Amino acid sequence: MNRVMAIAEKDFKEFMRNMMLLTMPILPIAMAFLFTATPLPESEKMDMVLSVLAMSFVAVLTGSLMTMIAEEKEKHTLRGLINSPASMMEVFFGKSLVVTIILLVTISVVLFIFKINIFTNIWMVVGFILLYIFYLLLGSLIGLHVESVSETSLYFVPVLFIFGMNTTIANIGIKKDNILIKLNEYMPMMQYSKLEQSGDIIHLIIIAVWLIVTFICTYLLYRKSSID
């Protein structure tokens, strides 16, 4: 616990000095205000909520974490952190503690603005936890892959589009038999949306597969970073 808190305290100080990271929560909250100011059919409200939820995951969790890890690489301190007595889980838990708190505050504000509760059953809670771990690992994976903070900007927009705007892409009028739309159906947030609609546990399994694949890739890059 001392190792985790030491890493978290260090990242908190760096987070508070980084204006780009401090403004990350503004995006989903601004989108929530924008959507609620626009009259929407009740049937489309949940899609909008899940769309903003995905933006929250990408902007606050994935974006912040990949920036902080890339900053460690740029300062040549990441290898020392990886080779320290702290385990992989302690490092990631410590680095994610600050952004997790900010993420929970952001999502709470978004749900309050929409006046809706997405946690209607236990499977929605489990799905949320799986999504949290997936987006956490996704940010870690990109952070370990890039060589500098400036390089993360090349990845942020594609990640936001691919993993943060799934429900929006599904409703823009493209034919359902389009290959991109079919692939989009298997994205983690789309599976969470389908879970909300049907309650079928198969959607949780697909999210879990995304999580496992991302974990394996992150673990391999983490071990590689310890010797490079």
Side-chain angles (χ1 to χ4, degrees):
M1 199 61 193
N2 288 337
R3 294 169 185 162
V4 170
M5 294 309 297
I7 295 170
E9 183 179 352
K10 170 181 169 294
D11 282 341
F12 175 74
K13 292 175 181 177
E14 292 181 359
F15 190 94
M16 295 306 293
R17 290 196 297 264
N18 193 322
M19 287 304 297
M20 185 180 74
L21 296 181
L22 284 173
T23 56
M24 287 295 191
I26 295 176
L27 175 62
I29 293 174
M31 292 301 294
F33 276 116
L34 179 63
F35 286 143
T36 53
T38 306
L40 289 170
E42 195 64 29
S43 59
E44 296 181 11
K45 187 174 182 181
M46 183 57 75
D47 285 340
M48 291 298 100
V49 173
L50 294 180
S51 180
V52 176
L53 185 67
M55 289 182 187
S56 301
F57 277 123
V58 173
V60 180
L61 195 59
T62 302
S64 298
L65 203 57
M66 69 182 183
T67 300
M68 288 192 293
I69 293 177
E71 192 172 14
E72 293 272 11
K73 288 190 77 173
E74 198 172 64
K75 294 178 178 178
H76 305 289
T77 56
L78 181 63
R79 185 176 176 184
L81 181 62
I82 292 175
N83 289 320
S84 70
S87 67
M88 178 181 172
M89 291 297 102
E90 288 171 343
V91 170
F92 283 138
F93 186 68
K95 296 197 78 65
S96 65
L97 193 57
V98 175
V99 290
T100 296
I101 294 171
I102 295 173
L103 173 73
L104 293 176
V105 171
T106 302
I107 290 177
S108 298
V109 172
V110 166
L111 295 180
F112 177 78
I113 293 171
F114 276 107
K115 293 181 173 60
I116 195 171
N117 177 25
I118 63 170
F119 305 116
T120 52
N121 56 60
I122 186 63
W123 298 128
M124 291 297 287
V125 175
V126 173
F128 180 88
I129 294 171
L130 292 179
L131 283 175
Y132 160 76
I133 299 172
F134 166 75
Y135 283 101
L136 176 69
L137 290 170
L138 182 63
S140 304
L141 177 64
I142 297 172
L144 290 168
H145 173 69
V146 300
E147 296 299 328
S148 64
V149 175
S150 59
E151 198 176 334
T152 60
S153 60
L154 297 175
Y155 289 86
F156 181 74
V157 173
V159 169
L160 180 63
F161 185 77
I162 295 171
F163 293 101
M165 301 181 66
N166 309 118
T167 55
T168 305
I169 293 171
N171 295 315
I172 59 176
I174 301 177
K175 292 181 180 179
K176 299 297 182 183
D177 59 351
N178 186 287
I179 185 65
L180 294 178
I181 295 298
K182 289 182 178 179
L183 290 174
N184 184 59
E185 293 293 314
Y186 290 94
M187 293 292 107
M189 188 52 69
M190 281 301 296
Q191 291 299 309
Y192 193 62
S193 176
K194 291 178 181 293
L195 176 67
E196 185 274 330
Q197 295 169 13
S198 67
D200 194 338
I201 197 171
I202 187 64
H203 304 302
L204 278 179
I205 295 173
I206 294 174
I207 296 173
V209 171
W210 275 97
L211 190 159
I212 292 168
V213 172
T214 310
F215 174 79
I216 293 171
C217 294
T218 304
Y219 177 77
L220 293 175
L221 267 182
Y222 184 87
R223 300 313 307 169
K224 184 175 182 290
S225 297
S226 67
I227 57 176
D228 282 353

